[in-house]
Amino acid sequence: MIIDSRVKNLITKTNLYIGDSIQEIQLNHRYRLVDTFGLTVGMRILEIGCGQGDTSVVLADIVGPTGHVTAIDLGSPAYGAPVSLGEATKRIKSSPIGKAIDFLLETDFLDFVIPQDYDAVVLSHCSWYFKSEDELLAYLIKIKTISAKLCFAEWDININNSTQIAHYNAAILAAIYSQQVTNEGNIQSLFSPQAIQTLLARANFAEQTFFSISSDYLQDGQWEVDFVNAIYPDLKNSTTWNPVLCQSLLETMNVQKTVKSLDSFVIVAR
């Protein structure tokens, strides 16, 4: 695939991710998502679930030196691999773009004292971390009180072709695992686009604009398959919930010769 020139420019001017081809692909995806958000120079952005800051640096690049990104995450500085949240965000803060971003780790948005209203709130590829629909709804309701605009992005479980079956099955099995075994994995629940649209309406976002983003070129599908294969013995030994279905999902996942990631969707809500 062709990497967006903005990725190369960002790497050059920040001195981040040099020679990291995986990170180039991940950043490319973030630019494609952010292109749908409708953000402009000078905006003040709150990003929830910033992780290692992949989306944060792209947001900071878009809003420019007169804008600002406040990026929060529940995770501790030690969370994450192969690079922890603390290591990744410290590296970004020490780069030329770092002054445009404030990282607040171990921060629960529901307890977060909002210092100002924001031009937009971003919640990108982190809704599956939520353990329940009620928990996510509580976030959406609070977001509505601090910003007129929410930019929401997530994997789309409405698969488009058979090469995405493995990622789909892996996501289901990871969600089942999280219901049975306490863990810090990145899939605790699964939300379809339709479910998110319903939750946004319940949170009083009256206007929703939907975008579909092709993202089958990303590495995440294979990463999820590898994760599920690694934890499956633990899942098998920890649950009595429909073991035949779980085994069938695993076998169908592993029979796929080509593993492509699910596509993504974006909803810009007001």
Side-chain angles (χ1 to χ4, degrees):
M1 66 162 299
I2 299 174
I3 299 294
D4 192 308
S5 61
R6 291 175 296 178
V7 173
K8 303 290 188 180
N9 291 338
L10 179 67
I11 290 172
T12 298
K13 70 184 180 183
T14 63
N15 206 32
L16 295 167
Y17 320 120
I18 293 174
D20 190 337
S21 60
I22 291 177
Q23 196 63 37
E24 285 187 1
I25 293 172
Q26 291 292 324
L27 289 171
N28 194 76
H29 178 58
R30 268 64 184 185
Y31 272 108
R32 297 185 69 199
L33 295 178
V34 172
D35 281 344
T36 68
F37 292 173
L39 307 180
T40 56
V41 171
M43 277 188 165
R44 296 161 301 169
I45 308 297
L46 174 65
E47 182 193 3
I48 300 172
C50 64
Q52 279 94 344
D54 293 352
T55 304
S56 311
V57 294
V58 172
L59 292 170
D61 190 39
I62 295 296
V63 301
T66 59
H68 192 269
V69 177
T70 301
I72 68 174
D73 198 286
L74 268 172
S76 73
Y79 178 80
V83 180
S84 71
L85 270 61
E87 292 168 334
T89 55
K90 183 179 179 180
R91 184 182 177 192
I92 293 170
K93 281 297 294 180
S94 64
S95 76
I97 207 169
K99 62 184 179 181
I101 309 171
D102 285 333
F103 287 107
L104 302 174
L105 302 181
E106 296 181 305
T107 300
D108 186 340
F109 173 64
L110 295 181
D111 297 327
F112 181 50
V113 177
I114 308 299
Q116 62 181 331
D117 287 343
Y118 292 92
D119 296 308
V121 174
V122 171
L123 207 158
S124 180
H125 280 297
C126 65
S127 68
W128 288 5
Y129 281 89
F130 287 83
K131 296 183 183 298
S132 70
E133 179 183 86
D134 288 344
E135 185 180 44
L136 177 55
L137 179 60
Y139 270 59
L140 298 179
I141 289 171
K142 183 174 180 179
I143 288 169
K144 190 67 171 68
T145 69
I146 65 169
S147 179
K149 184 175 187 177
L150 168 63
C151 306
F152 184 102
E154 193 51 271
W155 302 109
D156 188 347
I157 59 174
N158 295 299
I159 63 175
N160 286 319
N161 59 71
S162 61
T163 61
Q164 297 172 322
I165 290 174
H167 190 187
Y168 174 80
N169 283 15
I172 293 174
L173 285 166
I176 293 172
Y177 176 67
S178 292
Q179 295 298 314
Q180 304 296 320
V181 180
T182 301
N183 68 89
E184 295 184 337
N186 61 327
I187 301 180
Q188 300 292 320
S189 302
L190 293 182
F191 297 99
S192 68
Q194 296 87 345
I196 295 301
Q197 288 172 317
T198 298
L199 287 175
L200 288 169
R202 290 175 62 188
N204 293 320
F205 285 96
E207 179 186 335
Q208 300 182 33
T209 305
F210 186 91
F211 303 88
S212 181
I213 310 293
S214 175
S215 52
D216 63 355
Y217 61 91
L218 291 169
Q219 309 96 331
D220 299 66
Q222 186 62 61
W223 292 340
E224 295 299 349
V225 168
D226 294 342
F227 170 76
V228 166
N229 278 317
I231 58 88
Y232 189 76
D234 194 21
L235 172 62
K236 186 176 181 180
N237 294 331
S238 302
T239 181
T240 58
W241 184 85
N242 210 329
V244 174
L245 174 60
C246 290
Q247 184 66 31
S248 296
L249 287 169
L250 182 79
E251 291 167 350
T252 307
M253 177 187 80
N254 284 329
V255 79
Q256 304 300 314
K257 295 181 179 179
T258 301
V259 177
K260 297 248 179 172
S261 295
L262 294 167
D263 289 329
S264 303
F265 70 93
V266 168
I267 299 175
V268 178
R270 298 180 183 274

